[in-house]
């Protein structure tokens, strides 16, 4: 008897806190996913890192043996200075001295990576004034960029997602969730083709040392705003039309980021994903619940002696005021999908 009562109470406790349990499972799953990624990256990349370290030690040892007049300490100082300059995008190699990192097109490319939070890291401000301006520029520019992208994506969604789904639903009478799912899949295929596959083929042809996988890797790392900086186009020696090439890459990154946001927003509007998100979100207080609380408070106050509660004439403040709910144009358009 006691066991059955305890079991029923546990079941009721779990059912009454489903959102919290789902959230705990979500946190636990995310931590496991992080650990899984760390294990895979470590097992795959660590042998290559060890091999590269051994090769560098061998090259350094051979160089010192061939140049006995040069001490290891002086070589270490020289390499340290060269690597420090390389971290700022300045190379001492002869084949890299012809290109500048801070001409107008390169600076425009850098500004776009800062505002989009891609941040390849191949170029960084050298002066204190440049670093201070970068902070101020980012503080203002990143929210400005988010506002700009949100406004652009909302207007594109009207013609790329909401109107086609409503048209197909009303014309052929198909289910809106089904139409939205098929539409999102087709839109993702078009976006991947136009902003990943085709640009990857173009980059693999224009960049001498890039194959298709490396070019596709660059496109994904850039448009997902990860921006590792291990692959940056337009940095090759004697790059033809380098200024125009950098300008084209800047436009590609901006258009590609908008396309990715449109695709992500389209998938977020799917009814299936909305139901999935509700499992992990806190439940909003319903108007009926608020009304019940107000009625309960009213009954409580009405049952108290008259002297303990101020009369309506004495208390002119209203504890609850109904404000109209403001809806954005995007939310009105979203109603067509629900």
């Amino acid at each position: 008897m006691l066991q059955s009562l305890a079991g029923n109470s546990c079941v009721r406790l779990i059912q009454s806190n489903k959102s919290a349990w789902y959230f705990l499972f979500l946190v636990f799953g995310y931590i496991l996913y992080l650990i899984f990624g760390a294990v895979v990256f470590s097992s795959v990349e660590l042998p290559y890192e060890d091999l590269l370290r051994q090769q560098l030690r061998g090259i350094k040892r051979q160089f010192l043996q061939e140049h006995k007049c040069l001490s290891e300490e002086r070589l270490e100082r020289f390499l340290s200075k060269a690597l420090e300059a390389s971290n700022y995008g300045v190379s001492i190699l002869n084949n890299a001295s012809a290109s500048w990192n801070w001409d107008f097109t390169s600076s425009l490319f850098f500004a776009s990576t800062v505002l989009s939070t891609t941040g390849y890291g191949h170029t960084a401000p050298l002066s204190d004034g440049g670093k201070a301006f970068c902070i101020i520029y980012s503080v203002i520019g990143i929210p400005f960029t988010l506002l700009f992208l949100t406004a652009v994506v909302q207007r594109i969604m009207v013609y790329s997602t909401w109107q086609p789904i409503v048209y197909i639903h009303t014309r052929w009478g198909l289910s809106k969730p089904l139409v939205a799912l098929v539409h999102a899949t087709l839109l993702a295929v078009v976006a991947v083709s136009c902003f990943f596959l085709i640009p990857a083929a173009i980059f693999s042809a224009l960049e001498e040392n890039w194959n298709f996988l490396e070019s596709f890797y660059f496109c994904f790392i850039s448009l997902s705003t990860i921006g590792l900086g291990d692959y940056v186009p337009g940095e090759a020696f004697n790059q033809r039309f380098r200024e125009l090439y950098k300008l084209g890459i800047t436009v590609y990154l901006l258009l590609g980021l908008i396309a990715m946001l449109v695709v992500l927003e389209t998938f977020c509007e799917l009814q299936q994903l909305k139901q999935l998100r509700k499992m992990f979100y806190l439940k909003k207080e319903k108007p009926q619940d608020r009304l019940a609380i107000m009625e309960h408070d009213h009954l409580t106050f009405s049952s108290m002696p008259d002297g303990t509660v101020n009369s309506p004439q004495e208390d002119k403040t209203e504890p609850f005021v109904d404000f109209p709910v403001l809806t954005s144009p995007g939310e009105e358009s979203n109603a067509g999908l629900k």
Side-chain angles (χ1 to χ4, degrees):
M1 183 66 180
L2 294 176
Q3 292 180 352
S4 62
L5 290 176
N8 292 333
S9 62
C10 291
V11 171
R12 286 195 299 270
L13 179 63
I14 293 175
Q15 290 179 350
S16 61
N17 297 278
K18 277 186 178 181
S19 178
W21 286 106
Y22 286 145
F23 178 73
L24 289 177
F25 287 136
L26 178 65
V27 172
F28 183 69
Y30 189 75
I31 293 174
L32 287 180
Y33 194 71
L34 285 175
I35 296 174
F36 169 74
V39 170
V40 173
F41 283 127
S42 177
S43 60
V44 172
E45 296 297 330
L46 194 58
Y48 287 91
E49 180 186 359
D50 182 61
L51 179 61
L52 183 59
R53 287 176 181 272
Q54 293 179 8
Q55 291 176 350
L56 288 176
R57 292 192 188 100
I59 294 173
K60 177 183 174 183
R61 191 182 306 110
Q62 182 179 0
F63 181 84
L64 290 174
Q65 290 176 356
E66 294 175 355
H67 303 82
K68 296 184 178 181
C69 60
L70 180 64
S71 64
E72 184 176 359
E73 182 181 356
R74 293 177 60 188
L75 179 62
E76 289 282 348
R77 288 201 302 266
F78 171 76
L79 293 177
S80 177
K81 196 67 178 179
L83 291 176
E84 182 181 356
S86 179
N87 291 332
Y88 287 96
V90 179
S91 176
I92 63 173
L93 300 178
N94 291 330
N95 58 3
S97 60
S99 60
W100 293 86
N101 293 324
W102 295 105
D103 54 9
F104 177 76
T105 53
S106 298
S107 300
L108 181 65
F109 178 71
F110 172 78
S112 67
T113 60
V114 169
L115 296 183
S116 62
T117 67
T118 303
Y120 291 114
H122 71 295
T123 302
L126 299 173
S127 63
D128 293 339
K131 294 173 183 177
F133 176 75
C134 185
I135 295 174
I136 300 173
Y137 185 72
S138 302
V139 168
I140 300 174
I142 291 177
F144 187 27
T145 303
L146 293 176
L147 175 63
F148 165 73
L149 292 176
T150 302
V152 171
V153 168
Q154 188 222 18
R155 282 158 175 77
I156 293 177
M157 288 279 293
V158 173
Y159 302 100
S160 67
T161 300
W162 299 328
Q163 287 187 359
I165 292 176
V166 172
Y167 175 79
I168 294 175
H169 170 69
T170 55
R171 182 67 182 271
W172 285 286
L174 298 176
S175 172
K176 274 188 179 180
L178 177 61
V179 174
L181 180 60
V182 175
H183 172 268
T185 304
L186 294 177
L187 188 64
V189 171
V190 172
V192 170
S193 301
C194 294
F195 293 96
F196 287 94
L197 297 178
I198 296 176
I202 295 175
F203 283 126
S204 62
L206 295 178
E207 298 290 334
E208 296 180 357
N209 300 323
W210 293 16
N211 55 31
F212 182 81
L213 176 61
E214 293 169 333
S215 302
F216 188 89
Y217 168 81
F218 163 76
C219 295
F220 176 80
I221 293 297
S222 299
L223 298 186
S224 60
T225 67
I226 298 174
L228 296 179
D230 48 350
Y231 289 92
V232 180
E235 300 297 323
F237 175 61
N238 288 336
Q239 176 72 53
R240 298 182 59 185
F241 308 107
R242 185 173 183 270
E243 291 77 11
L244 184 61
Y245 188 34
K246 285 282 188 180
L247 182 61
I249 295 171
T250 303
V251 175
Y252 159 73
L253 293 177
L254 183 60
L255 295 179
L257 185 58
I258 293 174
M260 293 303 101
L261 291 175
V262 169
V263 173
L264 290 176
E265 185 67 21
T266 301
F267 273 94
C268 288
E269 292 294 329
L270 293 178
Q271 195 67 28
Q272 296 85 346
L273 290 183
K274 286 184 178 180
Q275 295 295 331
L276 180 62
R277 293 200 302 269
K278 287 181 180 179
M279 295 173 56
F280 306 104
Y281 290 173
L282 289 174
K283 292 184 178 180
K284 295 182 180 179
E285 188 179 359
K286 297 181 180 179
Q288 297 88 339
D289 298 335
R290 292 198 298 267
L291 182 60
I293 295 173
M294 293 172 61
E295 292 177 352
H296 179 269
D297 292 340
H298 176 72
L299 292 174
T300 303
F301 281 113
S302 62
S303 63
M304 296 175 64
D306 295 338
T308 59
V309 183
N310 295 332
S311 62
Q313 289 78 9
E314 294 175 354
D315 190 2
K316 299 296 183 181
T317 60
E318 297 182 2
F320 299 95
V321 180
D322 293 328
F323 292 98
V325 179
L326 300 179
T327 58
S328 63
E331 293 177 353
E332 295 177 357
S333 303
N334 290 345
L337 296 179
K338 297 179 181 177

